[in-house]
Structures are given as structure tokens and as C-alpha cells.
Amino acid sequence: MATSEPQDCPWQERIRQVAASGIPAWNGPGRVLRVKLGYNPNSSSVGSVVTVLMWTTVFSSVVLNAMAAVVVSEWKRQSAGALPSNPDDAP
Amino acid sequence: MKWRFEEFGAIIATDEPPALVWIDQDMARGLGFGDSPLWNRQRGDLSAPTEVHVMTTERCPAGCPSCYVGSTMQSPEPTEAELRHTFQKLANAGVFHVALGGGESLLRDDLFRLAAWARELGMVPNLTTSGIGMNEEKAEQCRVFGQVNVSLDGLGDVYQASRGYDGAGKALAAIRMLSQAGVSVGINLVLQRHTFEALDETVAAAIEAGASEVEMLRFKPAGRAHATYLAMRLDAGQRQRLLPEVLRLMQQWPKVNIKVDCSLVPFLCAGDPDPALLETFGVVGCEAGHMLAAVRADGRATACSFLEQDVGGVDGLVDGWETSEELLRWRRYHLTAAEPCASCPYRAVCKGGCRAVVTAYSSSPFEPDPECPRVVAWRRGAAHP
């Protein structure tokens, strides 16, 4: 498959924005297993973003790490500081 | 942020960027989600669909010969109370997204109220429309949706050949209104023999009007499309060309999101993409009765929008999610699929192709997708070893 990253694909741009936004990376245990990008407004079948076909393995790891950071950031905002500063202290 | 436990850990829905994120048990625990009894199970299934297609009406004035529902203006339509019950059940089950469609959903006066209700319940409502009935006021109200996709199979004669009337102008006007209202808007483009050859002009017009996403859909033999399916489906050469065409469009329109629907995944896999990459980034084939389910305008609930077998309405869908033989048959078909699917490297992604398409060729939907290039090659080899 393609071995070069697209210069300006929408997801790459958004993920880079996330990476540059200062959201701390997830340093706790565990990992993101899978990411399904986008909404699916089509009301007859499941749509899949295929931009991934142009991603390298390296960039795929960047996306998974960035999405982990997004999850932590949104979870922190929602739980208003309830997130343990040390993941070992998690209930 | 909505999330729910699953056997492997949890699924979390993010809004920016919009995504569903699967995390393992350790990460869920580390985030402070606590433990779940689901973590002791090994069924291999999701605890509920991630998205459900809800037909808000079957009524539509367009009369397209290719309509997979067979809509007319006399077709059934659920009441607002029935749809509220549907949304409540789905939200309680942990469903993340509802894709509203029809028929033409914009015919409903209560559409935006219902979408707001879905939001209140923690689900993201999305919408498919032909554009019929769209105006600036409704476009503004469409901001309640996560995204709106407008059906646009082609322009002029191409649209006419696909849908029986030239509605491209209305569709493009709807895209413009939605885009100007700040709504995330894309198109649904059904791939038929003639629409496939007009991809460039269709995509260019949609993007010029403000679309930021192009979702390509496989034409399927359902509703009125049963009668036209064999004449209008993609030919064998076009099926082989799907992946190169997708890659070309992505290079030509780098800021536009290109998507394919679940039923096109067998054609995509003919180009030998990395199966692990597809799986990790949620490029999915048949998810009927697993990630996906549908609730029809007449109250039936089905494993996917193109299937007819009712699982007992939305109550049966949610309450019988783990036990319904009907749901399990669709959900687990790929685990016991015959060759060549049984040994196919894409089985976990593609899941045996589109069950709805199989019904055009066979009395049983539980057979390999006969249009899959790998299946075609395998059968040719079996016939002429």
C-alpha cells in the first residue's frame, strides 16, 4: 500500500492540531485499541474513513497516541479533576 | 463525553475530532472508570450497537426507481411518541450515534425537536436527506446534527438516470445552505455503473457547494432497487477499480474526507490494503446486528437497514441483544463462513461481504458475497483448476 503520508488530509491536520494543542499524552497503563473516525450520517449503512489507506505505520501510532490524549483531556474536563494524577491511584 | 464498558475495556465517544475510541481494560481502569462484570466475559460481541439507523418516516415524494425502501407519500411514519421511545431505549442501551433517515426526514415538523431529544439523551444525531424541503431556516436548525449528508449520485442526466428525476440542483442548493449555516455536510454517492464513471464531476460539484465529505455507497438490491439492480450495479472492472479511484480522489481532494460504506469493503480489499490497519482504524465490512442495527418506520427493528427480518421492534433489539437468534445469525456469520471467506486474510474486517447483496443471487443471505473479486477469482479457479 501507499508508503507516504498525504500532505494535507483532513484527519492528519486535525490530529496534528491535537498533538500541538498542549494536551498531555497518556502515560498511564493500557492503550487505545482501535479508533473509528467520524460520524456516520448515512442512514443506510456504516461508513468508514479510508484516509487511513494512505497512512504509514508510524503515523498510525501518532494517531492512536493523539486519540488517547483526546480521551484523557475530555475525561478530565468532564470529571472536573476527578482523574487521579497518578494512574496507580485509580480506584 | 459518553462511554460504556465492553469486554475488552470500554468505548469512548469524542467530539473533536469526532470518533469512537476503543480502549483496553488497563486504560479504562487508569482513567478511573472502575471495573466491569463485562471484563469477565469472552463472548467477543459488543454490548450494544454503536450506531442505529432510525427511519423517521418512510414517506417521500421523490419516487426514485432505485429507492431501497420503496418510499411513497402513503408510506408509514412513526409518531413522535414512538420515536421518543425508540431514542430512550437506544440511549439506555449505550448507543452513541443515531443516523436519521427515511423516506425524507425533512417532511417531519418535529424532526429538530427529536434530534434535540437525542442530544439530551447523550446520543449524537446525524441526518441523511435528499435536500427536498431544505431551506435556510431548516439549514440553521440542522446545527443540532453532528453531520448531515445529502444524497447526490451525479449531476443532470446522471442524477436523472439514477433517481428518475433531476434533483441535483436541489441537492447542491441544500449543501450550500447547510455549509453556509456552519453545518458539517457531506454527500452520499451511490455507486452504480453510470455514476461511477461520473465521480469526478459529482465530487467536484459537491465540494464547490461546500461538502467536506464524500461517502460512497454500494448499490443494493432492496425495495424498488430489486428491479433495477442487475442492470445498474457496478460491473466487474469497476469493482476492481474502486481502491485506485478512492486513492486518486484522496490525492485530488486532500482536504475532503473520503469514506466507503460497509458493503464496499470487499472491493476495497481486492487492492490488498493492510488488514491490521483497516481493523485498527475502524474500516468495517458487514456489522449487521453488531455495531449496526436499524429501526424501520413501521416499528420493525432489523440487523441492518437493508434486511427485512424483525427482531421484535426496538424493545426486542435492545432487550434481546445478547440472546436473539436472529441477531446472532447476522452478527456471527463470518465466524463460520464458507470458503473462500473462511481463509481470507480480510475476514475479520470484511466479515463476508454484504448480506443484502447476496439476497439478489441466492435464497440464503448466508453465503459469500458473489461480487467480491476474491470470491469471483476463487470460484473461477475452482471451476477451472
Side-chain angles (χ1 to χ4, degrees):
Chain A
M1 285 309 303
T3 53
S4 62
E5 292 162 17
Q7 295 303 302
D8 198 18
C9 87
W11 286 101
Q12 187 158 345
E13 193 174 302
R14 293 173 90 161
I15 295 297
R16 283 198 171 127
Q17 284 169 359
V18 169
S21 66
I23 298 176
W26 172 246
N27 293 316
R31 65 191 179 96
V32 169
L33 301 170
R34 189 183 194 197
V35 175
K36 180 145 184 55
L37 298 164
Y39 294 129
N40 187 46
N42 171 36
S43 60
S44 65
S45 46
V46 182
S48 299
V49 173
V50 288
T51 310
V52 59
L53 293 169
M54 301 182 82
W55 291 352
T56 60
T57 308
V58 172
F59 186 68
S60 302
S61 301
V62 171
V63 174
L64 292 179
N65 290 334
M67 290 311 299
V70 169
V71 164
V72 174
S73 169
E74 291 201 16
W75 178 248
K76 266 185 179 174
R77 196 166 54 236
Q78 179 171 305
S79 54
L83 184 76
S85 54
N86 179 351
D88 292 339
D89 296 337
Chain B
M1 183 175 80
K2 182 165 180 166
W3 63 277
R4 73 183 195 211
F5 283 120
E6 292 291 347
E7 285 178 10
F8 50 80
I11 301 178
I12 299 162
T14 63
D15 290 324
E16 189 50 50
L20 295 179
V21 183
W22 276 241
I23 65 171
D24 67 11
Q25 295 175 7
D26 288 338
M27 185 168 178
R29 206 177 275 123
L31 284 168
F33 287 9
D35 284 14
S36 166
L38 283 177
W39 293 357
N40 298 319
R41 285 192 350 181
Q42 290 187 323
R43 287 169 56 97
D45 297 337
L46 295 175
S47 64
T50 54
E51 70 173 73
V52 174
H53 300 164
V54 178
M55 199 182 285
T56 62
T57 181
E58 206 174 297
R59 296 168 64 235
C60 179
C64 305
S66 54
C67 178
Y68 78 93
V69 178
S71 288
T72 69
M73 285 302 281
Q74 287 70 50
S75 296
E77 182 170 285
T79 64
E80 182 174 351
E82 287 167 336
L83 284 173
R84 282 178 178 265
H85 172 71
T86 294
F87 287 1
Q88 184 72 65
K89 282 293 281 193
L90 299 178
N92 290 350
V95 171
F96 294 103
H97 301 156
V98 283
L100 310 186
E104 177 47 66
S105 292
L106 287 176
L107 293 177
R108 290 191 71 105
D109 294 334
D110 55 6
L111 176 66
F112 301 107
R113 200 160 60 232
L114 284 162
W117 168 245
R119 285 270 186 199
E120 279 181 42
L121 294 172
M123 300 186 293
V124 177
N126 299 296
L127 177 71
T128 287
T129 174
S130 64
I132 294 174
M134 183 65 77
N135 56 37
E136 288 180 359
E137 186 187 342
K138 286 183 177 175
E140 287 284 332
Q141 291 179 288
C142 278
R143 285 195 286 211
V144 70
F145 296 109
Q147 187 173 320
V148 177
N149 272 18
V150 179
S151 299
L152 182 70
D153 301 337
L155 308 177
D157 291 346
V158 176
Y159 192 110
Q160 171 97 31
S162 176
R163 300 203 169 227
Y165 71 104
D166 182 4
K170 275 196 172 128
L172 289 167
I175 293 168
R176 279 193 197 93
M177 284 185 263
L178 290 162
S179 176
Q180 283 163 9
V183 177
S184 176
V185 57
I187 63 166
N188 287 344
L189 199 169
V190 178
L191 295 182
Q192 298 170 336
R193 202 159 295 185
H194 60 293
T195 65
F196 189 80
E197 301 305 333
L199 272 177
D200 282 325
E201 63 186 57
T202 310
V203 170
I207 292 168
E208 188 276 328
S212 59
E213 181 170 297
V214 173
E215 177 160 353
M216 289 181 262
L217 316 175
R218 187 169 168 189
F219 185 44
K220 302 173 192 73
R224 281 195 289 271
H226 267 300
T228 56
Y229 179 72
L230 292 177
M232 294 174 77
R233 66 187 171 153
L234 295 182
D235 65 33
Q238 290 171 325
R239 289 174 221 147
Q240 292 276 9
R241 280 167 50 206
L242 178 67
L243 181 58
E245 284 294 300
V246 164
L247 293 171
R248 187 181 62 76
L249 287 172
M250 285 195 291
Q251 282 163 347
Q252 187 174 350
W253 303 103
K255 294 197 172 183
V256 174
N257 218 11
I258 304 292
K259 290 167 81 174
V260 300
D261 85 347
C262 42
S263 58
L264 284 170
V265 167
F267 304 166
L268 204 67
C269 292
D272 297 328
D274 178 353
L277 205 60
L278 298 183
E279 202 166 355
T280 302
F281 289 98
V283 178
V284 295
C286 182
E287 287 290 339
H290 193 224
M291 284 176 66
L292 168 69
V295 179
R296 312 282 287 243
D298 59 9
R300 284 179 295 156
T302 56
C304 120
S305 302
F306 294 95
L307 303 175
E308 298 287 334
Q309 293 86 347
D310 180 29
V311 297
V314 71
D315 295 338
L317 175 72
V318 171
D319 301 337
W321 182 254
E322 293 185 354
T323 54
S324 162
E325 290 294 323
E326 184 67 23
L327 286 170
L328 291 171
R329 273 201 315 157
W330 300 104
R331 190 182 302 160
R332 296 182 174 174
Y333 159 73
H334 65 290
L335 298 175
T336 55
E339 292 290 1
C341 298
S343 57
C344 179
Y346 296 97
R347 181 170 69 158
V349 174
C350 161
K351 298 194 170 178
C354 181
R355 308 292 89 225
V357 168
V358 174
T359 61
Y361 296 87
S362 167
S363 57
S364 167
F366 299 106
E367 293 181 10
D369 186 334
E371 294 179 3
C372 167
R374 288 169 184 273
V375 172
V376 171
W378 185 84
R379 287 181 174 167
R380 195 173 289 142
H384 306 285

